[in-house]
Amino acid sequence: MQFGHFDDNRREYVITDPRTPWPWINYLGNEDFFSLVSNTGGGYSFYKDAKFRRITRYRYNNVPMDSGGKYFYINDGESIWSPGWKPCKTPLDSYECRHGMNYTTIKGVKNGVEAEVLYFVPLKTWAEVQKLTLRNTTSEAKTLKVFSFVEWCLWNAATDMENFQRNFSTGEVEIEDSVIYHKTEYKERRNHYAYYAANVALDGFETDRETFFGLYNGFDEPQTVLEGAPRNSVAHGWSPIASHYIEVTLQPGESKDFVFVLGYVENADDEKWESKNIINKTKAKATIARFDTAEKVDAALAELRAYWDNLLNVFSVKTGEEKLDRMVNIWNQYQCMITFCFSRSASFFESGIGRGMGFRDSNQDLIGFVHQIPERARERIIDIASTQFPDGGCYHQYQPLTKKGNNEIGQGFNDDPMWLILGTTAYIKESGDFSILDEPVPFDNVPGSEVSLFEHLIVSFDHVINNLGPHGLPLIGRADWNDCLNLNCFSNDPNESFQTTENKTEGSKAESLMIAGLFVIYGNDYVELCKKLGKNEEAERAQKHVDAMIEAVKQYGWDGEWFLRAYDYFGNKIGSNENEEGKIFIESNGWCTMAGIGLEEGLVTKALDSVKERLDCEHGIVLNNPAFTKYYIEYGEISSYPPGYKENAGIFCHNNPWIIIGETVQGRGDRAWEYFRKICPSYTEHISDLHKVEPYVYAQMIAGKDAFKPGEAKNSWLTGTAAWNFYAISQYILGIQPTYDGLRIDPCIPADWKEYTVTRQFRGATYEISVKNPNGNMKGVKSVVVDGKAVSGNIIPEMPAGKICRVEVTL
């Protein structure tokens, strides 16, 4: 069952039934000011940090779902309704939501009145702009009473929900002209305030929540809206809101536009006040003036659309496979931008409070984003590396506003350091900018501790070799990529976090085959980088450790038909046929086959065949099999989930691409393509009622074959799945790979693909690449012709900026 459809020409997903099986959201903004908006107008806004600069309030896990947002109420004399159906839930005559690239429009029709709201964050703007268009489609005049609504959050989203003895006494607002200013705590330690403006004279307003709603009314029946008249309340403490009241009469066929601006301002300490206790509104008024007409708003939206046109033109494909092309050309790349901006911090599954930017997460997100805006990726790499410690360890997460480590999560996740090598080498291969390696970068953001970024890569590499277990394999620490495989935890206390409770690593024999494969891949990348820099002694040193790791994996990490997952605290095997449950895991078999460990001896083939036999199912590849049916204290959180969910044999879409890439290493394009389609959102749109979450972006997890409801998804949007699937399809199936010396063309495609074309911008030049497959091959480049001239090998040298290069590839 579907609840909408793709509009590829407009790069939008069109939702035609507001009762989606879960709120289907979009993200507004791509730099400093951000909003989340659902298909019914739910969501919230923040500046840079969803925890420390939350602007509007949102209630997660509420009943009914998705309560609170940026709403417009219309009292037309006959009924009370909203263009997004919620919160009133008055039946509409028609409804449509269009989620586009950083903008959303929601249109509802009721009693002959069309109400359409455009939501977006203009480029380089600390504000969300909303344009409400009202249209009378009847033959009689219509008089409408219109109420806007947002609820202010008291800045820190965590204490906003906790410290009511203070919160209910601090709320402060100002009202001037048609603008409501939120200035709670501004006179003390804050240099920032928020505002909500309308571009017309008001007929009234409301700033106190209980006055607007009535103490015992919900979002669906505000007392002020029911009565059709505001009381012009001024909030003093309690719960401040902002609601504009506008009376409008529309003649038959007439339409009117109203512009609302929800913004954020920071003032220097000596510029905070206009006069005693009156805030300096200069910056707010300047922003409001930029969008005070519908024409200015439309121009800003056109600028945003052009921005995304340019971004999405960097990589585009034509395969004739509509569902593939729309994901690669539009939605997958769009999601990669969103994950780059937010890591895992703020979605409808992450509250924005408990998590900041992830060290491992952000490095992985870079590989799906770096081709779009390399200079922003460069900045992010420096931010990430600055949270590292001198021994190569790091904070697992850091807050985006402060760029300081998240102490509540801590450190000790032993896969973290190697991801910095991935992020850095991906950036250099894309941009050709080796100068980043000379950038001075501190440890733990401590001034005076700066060393070059290259030295951070050295300590990242050495962190693995300085933390090896009895088999010469990497110690797992708190965890590796699978945060729920907690081999040094041993928790019986339900009040503890598996990930942050005591980490009994001293004397532990817990080793990770996943980190081993990771080390081989990015260790080889590190070796290649050293050679490129002429650091041959360091390259030789590193290569010896990589080679030793390969041998350790072959000797101690092979179980006969697949790669082991790990050794536990006591040195016992995990992910072995000797185990009763959890005999085989996806992570180690993905990374070791991606690394090509044992390729010549047939280990890669055997491991991938075992994955197919034991882990594959209708909806994707499950994480482990058989699922755990009891709690294993020595394994931790992974065995706490019911079978088929999350890490206990759920389908983690993030790690499915590792098997996809492994299949391309083996040269099996048919199987790589089969796996890709199973978890690709556009291919599962027809089961949206089962899948539940958005059909235009990847989810982190799909319930596996052992679950109560296989195929049901959770944790959409903010997942490394976005970057890894773009990486897998663009670089390993379509085979367009940035290298230090140019673009390598190395496809691995289904045998029945006859041809496809890719347009790829790379270091200022444009490559128009045509791939033909006349003999039904899956892998292997026969010839490459560049601008009519045959070249040897399959690497196209870097071309001058501005050049359009035509490439013909035959398999």
Side-chain angles (χ1 to χ4, degrees):
M1 180 179 176
Q2 295 182 204
F3 297 82
H5 60 271
F6 289 96
D7 185 340
D8 295 338
N9 290 331
R10 295 178 57 168
R11 292 177 175 149
E12 296 173 340
Y13 192 83
V14 185
I15 302 169
T16 53
D17 183 345
R19 299 170 183 81
T20 51
W22 190 259
W24 288 0
I25 74 167
N26 195 12
Y27 285 82
L28 314 180
N30 56 56
E31 199 158 347
D32 291 329
F33 189 102
F34 301 102
S35 295
L36 286 68
V37 59
S38 76
N39 57 296
T40 58
Y44 60 92
S45 299
F46 60 93
Y47 170 78
K48 285 191 176 179
D49 192 311
K51 179 178 182 179
F52 291 125
R53 289 295 181 275
R54 187 75 66 94
I55 294 170
T56 61
R57 186 172 285 152
Y58 185 76
R59 293 161 179 79
Y60 283 87
N61 199 30
N62 208 345
V63 179
M65 184 64 192
D66 192 19
S67 293
K70 291 74 166 282
Y71 294 139
F72 290 94
Y73 296 90
I74 298 171
N75 182 331
D76 65 4
E78 300 180 47
S79 59
I80 307 295
W81 58 282
S82 295
W85 181 61
K86 286 196 71 177
C88 297
K89 294 193 289 187
T90 304
L92 298 174
D93 299 331
S94 71
Y95 159 92
E96 180 182 87
C97 170
R98 287 180 171 264
H99 285 321
M101 305 290 101
N102 276 156
Y103 68 88
T104 287
T105 60
I106 300 176
K107 182 169 70 174
V109 179
K110 183 70 175 176
N111 299 332
V113 175
E114 290 182 1
E116 180 173 329
V117 189
L118 164 69
Y119 301 88
F120 73 108
V121 173
L123 297 174
K124 305 294 182 182
T125 302
W126 292 0
E128 174 188 314
V129 173
Q130 306 158 357
K131 185 179 74 170
L132 170 66
T133 301
L134 298 175
R135 182 176 295 107
N136 179 4
T137 64
T138 74
S139 58
E140 298 179 353
K142 286 274 189 177
T143 297
L144 309 173
K145 297 180 177 183
V146 179
F147 300 79
S148 67
F149 172 82
V150 298
E151 182 178 8
W152 302 117
C153 179
L154 303 184
W155 300 111
N156 184 321
T159 61
D160 182 72
M161 299 187 299
E162 300 167 348
N163 193 6
F164 300 115
Q165 62 85 25
R166 173 177 169 80
N167 295 348
F168 287 158
S169 298
T170 58
E172 289 188 275
V173 300
E174 283 185 31
I175 303 99
E176 183 180 298
D177 298 325
S178 299
V179 188
I180 299 168
Y181 297 89
H182 176 226
K183 62 176 188 178
T184 298
E185 296 185 340
Y186 183 73
K187 68 178 181 294
E188 302 109 64
R189 299 170 293 171
R190 296 189 181 276
N191 68 347
H192 45 271
Y193 63 82
Y195 59 91
Y196 194 31
N199 73 331
V200 296
L202 301 183
D203 296 297
F205 60 84
E206 214 77 271
T207 69
D208 176 75
R209 188 182 71 189
E210 275 63 56
T211 303
F212 179 73
F213 284 118
L215 184 59
Y216 297 104
N217 292 12
F219 287 101
D220 58 334
E221 50 176 8
Q223 192 65 39
T224 293
V225 180
L226 293 173
E227 293 174 354
R231 300 178 186 179
N232 298 338
S233 61
V234 178
H236 295 281
W238 298 107
S239 300
I241 65 163
S243 174
H244 308 95
Y245 172 61
I246 302 166
E247 292 182 3
V248 56
T249 297
L250 298 174
Q251 297 303 317
E254 184 182 10
S255 66
K256 288 186 179 179
D257 295 313
F258 303 89
V259 179
F260 300 83
V261 179
L262 175 67
Y264 171 89
V265 165
E266 289 183 353
N267 284 328
D269 286 344
D270 59 352
E271 297 177 346
K272 288 181 65 171
W273 303 103
E274 179 182 303
S275 59
K276 184 174 176 62
N277 291 331
I278 303 300
I279 60 178
N280 181 348
K281 305 177 180 70
T282 303
K283 292 179 180 178
K285 289 179 178 179
T287 300
I288 294 166
R290 288 173 53 202
F291 308 105
D292 59 5
T293 68
E295 290 75 20
K296 292 179 181 179
V297 171
D298 292 343
L301 179 62
E303 185 181 17
L304 180 65
R305 285 179 180 270
Y307 173 84
W308 273 101
D309 287 345
N310 289 332
L311 283 184
L312 297 177
N313 284 340
V314 174
F315 189 108
S316 61
V317 64
K318 291 182 180 179
T319 64
E321 182 84 15
E322 179 185 62
K323 295 177 181 178
L324 171 64
D325 291 355
R326 74 164 51 111
M327 286 308 300
V328 173
N329 296 339
I330 306 172
W331 292 101
N332 196 174
Q333 292 191 72
Y334 179 53
Q335 189 180 2
C336 285
M337 164 70 99
I338 301 304
T339 57
F340 170 82
C341 289
F342 297 98
S343 190
R344 308 293 172 268
S345 64
S347 71
F348 269 34
F349 293 90
E350 290 286 358
S351 68
I353 297 172
R355 298 180 66 166
M357 308 298 284
F359 191 98
R360 133 193 347 141
D361 296 330
S362 294
N363 275 299
Q364 292 179 85
D365 294 339
L366 282 169
I367 65 176
F369 170 82
V370 65
H371 67 290
Q372 293 182 322
I373 315 177
E375 56 270 26
R376 285 188 65 188
R378 188 186 203 275
E379 178 184 324
R380 178 62 54 79
I381 290 167
I382 301 301
D383 284 350
I384 296 168
S386 298
T387 66
Q388 197 171 30
F389 299 113
D391 70 350
C394 59
Y395 287 105
H396 193 53
Q397 296 167 8
Y398 68 93
Q399 290 303 128
L401 188 67
T402 64
K403 298 178 183 176
K404 294 291 185 181
N406 186 338
N407 291 316
E408 293 177 0
I409 300 299
Q411 54 175 309
F413 296 78
N414 280 2
D415 64 313
D416 274 333
M418 287 304 294
W419 296 110
L420 184 62
I421 296 175
L422 164 65
T424 304
T425 56
Y427 166 75
I428 298 173
K429 289 174 184 177
E430 180 65 38
S431 66
D433 173 24
F434 287 87
S435 71
I436 190 175
L437 297 171
D438 300 321
E439 281 289 322
V441 181
F443 289 110
D444 194 17
N445 279 290
V446 175
S449 66
E450 291 82 2
V451 299
S452 71
L453 178 63
F454 184 78
E455 291 178 71
H456 280 262
L457 300 189
I458 294 175
V459 299
S460 292
F461 182 89
D462 287 353
H463 187 274
V464 176
I465 63 178
N466 291 335
N467 290 277
L468 298 178
H471 299 99
L473 298 167
L475 292 170
I476 199 169
R478 287 196 185 277
D480 57 20
W481 174 88
N482 187 339
D483 294 325
C484 297
L485 188 61
N486 314 118
L487 303 183
N488 300 308
C489 176
F490 302 96
S491 177
N492 266 324
D493 184 349
N495 299 308
E496 290 180 336
S497 162
F498 283 101
Q499 294 176 40
T500 59
T501 191
E502 183 184 0
N503 186 19
K504 300 178 176 66
T505 55
E506 187 172 342
S508 172
K509 300 177 182 178
E511 299 168 291
S512 166
L513 268 298
M514 197 222 90
I515 301 179
L518 180 77
F519 179 78
V520 171
I521 292 176
Y522 299 123
N524 279 326
D525 261 8
Y526 176 69
V527 169
E528 183 186 10
L529 177 63
C530 290
K531 290 178 178 177
K532 195 71 182 172
L533 298 171
K535 300 179 182 292
N536 294 323
E537 288 186 10
E538 176 63 4
E540 184 177 348
R541 178 188 81 92
Q543 190 65 63
K544 289 179 180 178
H545 289 292
V546 172
D547 292 344
M549 188 67 70
I550 292 171
E551 291 308 310
V553 171
K554 289 181 180 179
Q555 185 171 357
Y556 299 109
W558 182 248
D559 197 53
E561 297 295 329
W562 56 81
F563 293 98
L564 294 173
R565 177 59 177 91
Y567 286 90
D568 71 14
Y569 181 92
F570 307 102
N572 300 316
K573 294 177 181 178
I574 299 176
S576 167
N577 203 34
E578 299 171 10
N579 299 128
E580 178 185 353
E581 298 179 331
K583 292 174 177 285
I584 180 172
F585 284 72
I586 191 173
E587 301 101 325
S588 52
N589 287 285
W591 280 100
C592 292
T593 59
M594 286 166 65
I597 297 174
L599 181 64
E600 299 82 4
E601 299 98 313
L603 303 190
V604 170
T605 303
K606 286 184 179 180
L608 292 171
D609 286 348
S610 295
V611 167
K612 179 66 176 173
E613 177 186 351
R614 293 171 177 261
L615 300 180
D616 186 32
C617 72
E618 176 186 359
H619 301 287
I621 308 169
V622 301
L623 188 142
N624 58 287
N625 181 263
F628 297 116
T629 60
K630 61 182 180 180
Y631 177 50
Y632 294 78
I633 191 170
E634 68 272 27
Y635 291 1
E637 185 175 353
I638 188 172
S639 60
S640 71
Y641 289 104
Y645 291 99
K646 287 280 282 177
E647 284 82 358
N648 186 15
I651 298 160
F652 251 78
C653 301
H654 185 143
N655 56 35
N656 274 228
W658 302 343
I659 298 298
I660 292 170
I661 294 171
E663 290 288 358
T664 68
V665 169
Q666 183 66 42
R668 299 195 292 204
D670 284 342
R671 190 171 287 178
W673 175 236
E674 174 193 346
Y675 287 146
F676 179 85
R677 290 199 313 275
K678 284 187 177 183
I679 62 169
C680 182
S682 59
Y683 286 89
T684 60
E685 183 190 18
H686 63 287
I687 57 167
S688 289
D689 52 334
L690 168 63
H691 198 67
K692 294 193 75 166
V693 297
E694 297 90 342
Y696 41 91
V697 293
Y698 284 97
Q700 176 208 67
M701 193 279 292
I702 299 172
K705 56 188 176 181
D706 302 292
F708 173 76
K709 189 180 286 187
E712 184 180 63
K714 293 187 179 79
N715 296 21
S716 59
W717 279 101
L718 299 186
T719 162
T721 307
W724 273 106
N725 272 278
F726 185 76
Y727 189 66
I729 188 67
S730 64
Q731 297 200 29
Y732 290 91
I733 295 178
L734 299 174
I736 314 299
Q737 302 173 0
T739 73
Y740 298 122
D741 302 315
L743 284 178
R744 178 187 292 117
I745 314 298
D746 187 21
C748 186
I749 60 175
D752 61 359
W753 279 19
K754 297 303 179 186
E755 62 181 331
Y756 63 91
T757 61
V758 172
T759 300
R760 177 65 151 91
Q761 295 175 17
F762 180 67
R763 300 182 193 172
T766 300
Y767 298 77
E768 296 180 349
I769 304 165
S770 171
V771 178
K772 297 186 183 299
N773 185 26
N775 299 316
N777 294 318
M778 288 190 284
K779 191 176 179 70
V781 172
K782 179 180 179 182
S783 65
V784 177
V785 176
V786 180
D787 290 333
K789 297 180 181 179
V791 299
S792 60
N794 63 342
I795 293 182
I796 307 167
E798 181 179 350
M799 296 294 177
K803 178 177 174 55
I804 299 176
C805 175
R806 291 175 173 81
V807 182
E808 298 174 29
V809 179
T810 303
L811 301 186

